[in-house]
Amino acid sequence: MRQYGREDLELLFRTADVMADRLQRAFLRRPLDGRIMMTAFFEPSTRTRLVHETAMLRLGGTVSGFADPSVTRAEGSTAESDEDILRMLDSYADVIVLRHPTTGRPAELAARLTGALLINGGDGTGEHPTQAMVDLYTLYRRFGSIDGLRLLLVNDLRMRCVNSLLLGLRNFDCEVSAVATDGMDRPEGEEADWASDGPPVTIGGSVVELLPKVDVLYSSPTVSLRSAAGDRTRPLTIDRRLLEEHAGRHLAVLHPLPRKGELATDVDDTPFNAYWAQATYGVAVRMALLTLMFDA
Amino acid sequence: MRQYGREDLELLFRTADVMADRLQRAFLRRPLDGRIMMTAFFEPSTRTRLVHETAMLRLGGTVSGFADPSVTRAEGSTAESDEDILRMLDSYADVIVLRHPTTGRPAELAARLTGALLINGGDGTGEHPTQAMVDLYTLYRRFGSIDGLRLLLVNDLRMRCVNSLLLGLRNFDCEVSAVATDGMDRPEGEEADWASDGPPVTIGGSVVELLPKVDVLYSSPTVSLRSAAGDRTRPLTIDRRLLEEHAGRHLAVLHPLPRKGELATDVDDTPFNAYWAQATYGVAVRMALLTLMFDA
Amino acid sequence: MRQYGREDLELLFRTADVMADRLQRAFLRRPLDGRIMMTAFFEPSTRTRLVHETAMLRLGGTVSGFADPSVTRAEGSTAESDEDILRMLDSYADVIVLRHPTTGRPAELAARLTGALLINGGDGTGEHPTQAMVDLYTLYRRFGSIDGLRLLLVNDLRMRCVNSLLLGLRNFDCEVSAVATDGMDRPEGEEADWASDGPPVTIGGSVVELLPKVDVLYSSPTVSLRSAAGDRTRPLTIDRRLLEEHAGRHLAVLHPLPRKGELATDVDDTPFNAYWAQATYGVAVRMALLTLMFDA
């Protein structure tokens, strides 16, 4: 997300508006006709893969690739290097969507490409920039503006979607609080790094006390942790009762999905639910991104 | 299959005639251009997945999705709920083809969808309606009319394809006998339910004695069973010798495939073989279904 | 490769020239519009699958199929016969790309098809003809002509890509030497068979002594072998030092990829590297092959 400034993001939002609108109507043009997207998922992720494929198909492009790293293991022995695989895709595809378990690897591999564009579809504990674009677009659509919003981030703060969201929020004038589940705090250095560039972030505190004062409650996907002693640290569960007792009327709950126990299904039918809209915007935001990347 | 009456099925047949004819010629139009089909296979089935993808592609549409439930398990831990996955696909796709291991689940999930159409590609021991449409179309093509036909169903009568075929046959005036392999009988209640609405069904008897009197021999895909005592119950094997000794000249053997031991390959080159035509009609019938669903 | 003569190959090369050129420009026509390619990979191979899918998509066609044999195993029990699966694909697809672990099986299955064309994407220790077409095209592009070239084949000489390359080279006037890693020699009979039809092949000798005298060094993908005594036989490693010390200035190193230890990455940035061009030509050669097969 470091490579995108406020103007880039605002252009993306306006383009996504057009795309979201186009999804409702018959297609008038196919700007990516003849283009090929290759998905290279060295770690499976059905959501991220399918949302990019959908965006590409809606723009008239075509898709191929692999959904699972096991497929890349040739007969016999060990896997081919990811660099050789990316170089292969570079000569086949116009754009590659890469999911990689190793933090920072997409940037290294992107530097080797000569023809294809690269989209980072999530790297280790690094970044998930297109998810952050969707998160920000969801705020823009729900509130009209991101400036002035007060956000509370909860649960696993080490997740790549949190990293990318924090980097994106630096472009806007908003207040951020963050409360981690035990053992899921952001590393010290990263907090400082982020804080030095962006708006104030307050780490820690009580969710129940903070909830009435914020506009947005954002939870990352979170899995319970087993400690050395064998105890389980459970994430905060966002449910209807918590929200009805403590949240302001206009609170929006965001979650990139998939969810486990940290977001109860009884929130689905409340006005706090912004995560389905968020999921739906996924297609339009990737369509906007592809259109801008290809200058199409 | 309960939602389709005789007029629906006859319209489907006439449309499939057009589609089967169109497959032989150059494409003049692409009625599903710009539409996306997502395959959601929570249980693998290459035939069902590929036949739907083929039908969609032949109509000018595009395809994406997942062939295998393992792909939907995100990194770490447990699977996302199928409802959340379907809701995601609802916002990506125009039509979803769902294969699910749990009986009745497609109907429950369909009720949650707001945008996409849903095709049941087989659910547990419930239904496999598009297979029944292909079976019925095969009879219509082979005999000109389904009315008046005498059918003998053999082997595993608990299969979803049998359920759907029986429901479909209620719309026509035909006689049905059914002889299960030991341990593969239909549950009592279901027989009664079906019998009360449709034409007479005779359960049990000798295949060898019934064979000369019927027009159609239908076997479900069947796997041998191991009893508590460790014996194996083998399905009836339909082979050339059985047919040449006992079947009438015009007998048609149907089988949805894939086959194991219950249908010998020496039937392939006999005039009894209607199952390859049946397999071939699979594309045209799904093309007809998609065309009608989309009113395209 | 036995079914292609010199004129066929030269036509393929000229067509691939057109395709390689077309890849650089906007698409003017979509000769395979409305056609479906099905990939049937009874053994996974990401490279072979994706290069064929890319070629099909670049020609305006569509793709579907399965990347992995596990997908073809229906619920419960044993796999369907490959013949039944191919017959299914025959009624769905216009062209099938088949990868099969059993030598000779693609030719047997091709004889059963009634509608679809078949491309052998590699069979056991048999052939990999489209790889050989790419290898030959790479020589044609690099040297202008294959006649007169001196080739040295090293490492695992039992591989299917070597079989197909040797069969292809029979159509040209060139000298071939071959030095196997211990335990990776070609079977006696095959050498004789090949030698009787084609140009002279010298088996054995020292790579270091042969290297200065050849134009092309070709290594197959090679895995180290564990002997009965537990020792490992390692393949020859082609690296920058070996080439700079012993190779002629114009030597071209070819390798079908993926590579393990037998081709060092320090060759990548040398002028000896012809394997990236070879990988890149993969798409244009398959586009040419498809265009010629469909007479499109």
Side-chain angles (χ1 to χ4, degrees), chain A:
Chain A
M1 280 299 282
R2 287 178 205 279
Q3 64 188 291
Y4 301 103
R6 182 171 177 129
E7 284 182 21
D8 300 314
L9 292 169
E10 287 175 347
L11 173 60
L12 183 79
F13 297 163
R14 290 194 305 274
T15 311
D17 284 344
V18 175
M19 295 299 152
D21 183 50
R22 178 190 294 189
L23 281 171
Q24 311 305 322
R25 291 176 299 120
F27 273 52
L28 297 180
R29 44 184 219 112
R30 308 165 64 91
L32 298 191
D33 188 31
R35 300 288 192 174
I36 298 177
M37 168 185 282
M38 286 273 169
T39 52
F41 277 61
F42 291 90
E43 182 179 79
S45 171
T46 304
R47 280 183 181 274
T48 302
R49 183 173 62 86
L50 294 186
V51 77
H52 282 95
E53 292 196 359
T54 300
M56 189 67 183
L57 294 172
R58 292 273 179 225
L59 293 167
T62 57
V63 298
S64 179
F66 57 90
D68 193 304
S70 73
V71 170
T72 67
R73 217 154 293 139
E75 58 268 28
S77 73
T78 53
E80 187 175 10
S81 82
D82 58 358
E83 189 172 328
D84 276 9
I85 291 172
L86 263 283
R87 211 181 290 273
M88 160 181 75
L89 297 180
D90 189 27
S91 68
Y92 297 174
D94 299 295
V95 58
I96 299 165
V97 182
L98 175 65
R99 162 72 64 111
H100 203 287
T102 307
T103 305
R105 194 70 180 134
E108 291 171 14
L109 292 169
R112 307 291 200 291
L113 301 184
T114 59
L117 301 169
L118 188 90
I119 293 175
N120 179 359
D123 62 308
T125 57
E127 282 225 43
H128 195 346
T130 67
Q131 180 63 53
M133 292 175 191
V134 175
D135 300 343
L136 294 168
Y137 182 67
T138 305
L139 299 178
Y140 157 84
R141 284 288 291 244
R142 174 109 172 186
F143 296 100
S145 166
I146 299 173
D147 292 320
L149 291 181
R150 296 158 301 170
L151 293 92
L152 171 56
L153 316 184
V154 296
N155 283 322
D156 194 340
L157 301 181
R158 306 160 308 169
M159 296 290 280
R160 56 192 168 212
C161 59
V162 176
N163 293 343
S164 290
L165 179 59
L166 288 174
L167 287 167
L169 286 170
R170 296 197 305 190
N171 296 290
F172 303 91
D173 181 23
C174 49
E175 282 173 35
V176 185
S177 301
V179 180
T181 296
D182 277 357
M184 301 180 186
D185 300 276
R186 290 176 66 75
E188 291 279 328
E190 288 188 23
E191 279 168 31
D193 170 51
W194 180 72
S196 67
D197 289 332
V201 189
T202 312
I203 306 283
S206 150
V207 169
V208 166
E209 283 173 24
L210 288 164
L211 210 44
K213 303 172 197 159
V214 298
D215 307 298
V216 178
L217 175 61
Y218 182 101
S219 173
S220 55
T222 304
V223 174
S224 38
L225 284 180
R226 194 179 291 277
S227 74
D231 308 321
R232 270 196 176 284
T233 305
R234 297 206 165 278
L236 169 74
T237 296
I238 301 168
D239 59 17
R240 181 177 219 147
R241 193 175 147 183
L242 175 79
L243 298 173
E244 288 182 347
E245 289 185 5
H246 301 287
R249 277 186 56 201
H250 300 298
L251 182 90
V253 175
L254 270 74
H255 189 296
L257 305 177
R259 58 179 162 183
K260 308 288 153 77
E262 75 279 4
L263 175 58
T265 55
D266 67 3
V267 183
D268 292 1
D269 298 324
T270 71
F272 303 117
N273 176 354
Y275 43 87
W276 282 348
Q278 185 186 7
T280 303
Y281 294 144
V283 176
V285 170
R286 269 73 170 215
M287 286 174 72
L289 179 63
L290 287 166
T291 303
L292 294 170
M293 288 176 85
F294 280 105
D295 200 13

Side-chain angles (χ1 to χ4, degrees), chain C residues 37-273:
Chain C
M37 169 185 281
M38 287 274 169
T39 51
F41 278 61
F42 291 90
E43 183 179 80
S45 171
T46 304
R47 280 184 181 274
T48 302
R49 183 173 64 85
L50 295 186
V51 77
H52 281 95
E53 292 196 1
T54 301
M56 190 68 183
L57 294 172
R58 292 272 180 226
L59 293 167
T62 58
V63 300
S64 180
F66 57 91
D68 194 302
S70 73
V71 170
T72 68
R73 218 155 293 141
E75 58 269 30
S77 73
T78 53
E80 186 175 11
S81 82
D82 58 358
E83 189 172 330
D84 276 10
I85 291 173
L86 263 282
R87 211 182 292 273
M88 162 181 76
L89 298 180
D90 188 28
S91 68
Y92 297 173
D94 299 297
V95 58
I96 299 165
V97 182
L98 175 65
R99 163 71 63 113
H100 204 287
T102 306
T103 305
R105 194 70 181 135
E108 289 171 14
L109 292 169
R112 307 292 200 289
L113 301 183
T114 60
L117 302 169
L118 188 91
I119 293 175
N120 180 358
D123 61 308
T125 58
E127 283 225 41
H128 196 346
T130 67
Q131 180 62 53
M133 292 174 191
V134 174
D135 300 343
L136 294 169
Y137 182 68
T138 305
L139 298 178
Y140 157 84
R141 285 287 293 245
R142 173 110 174 189
F143 296 101
S145 165
I146 300 174
D147 292 318
L149 291 179
R150 297 159 300 170
L151 292 92
L152 171 57
L153 316 184
V154 296
N155 283 323
D156 194 340
L157 301 182
R158 305 160 309 170
M159 296 289 280
R160 56 191 169 212
C161 60
V162 176
N163 293 343
S164 290
L165 178 58
L166 287 175
L167 287 167
L169 285 171
R170 296 197 306 189
N171 296 291
F172 303 93
D173 181 26
C174 49
E175 282 172 38
V176 185
S177 300
V179 180
T181 297
D182 279 355
M184 301 181 186
D185 301 276
R186 290 176 66 75
E188 290 278 328
E190 288 186 24
E191 279 169 30
D193 170 52
W194 181 72
S196 67
D197 288 333
V201 190
T202 312
I203 306 284
S206 150
V207 169
V208 166
E209 283 173 25
L210 287 164
L211 210 44
K213 302 172 196 159
V214 298
D215 307 297
V216 178
L217 177 60
Y218 182 101
S219 172
S220 55
T222 305
V223 174
S224 37
L225 284 180
R226 194 177 290 278
S227 74
D231 308 322
R232 271 195 176 284
T233 304
R234 297 207 166 277
L236 169 75
T237 297
I238 301 168
D239 60 16
R240 181 176 218 149
R241 187 173 151 187
L242 175 79
L243 297 173
E244 288 182 349
E245 290 186 4
H246 301 287
R249 278 186 55 203
H250 300 297
L251 182 90
V253 175
L254 271 74
H255 190 296
L257 304 177
R259 59 179 162 183
K260 307 289 150 81
E262 75 279 4
L263 175 59
T265 54
D266 68 3
V267 183
D268 292 1
D269 298 325
T270 71
F272 302 118
N273 176 354

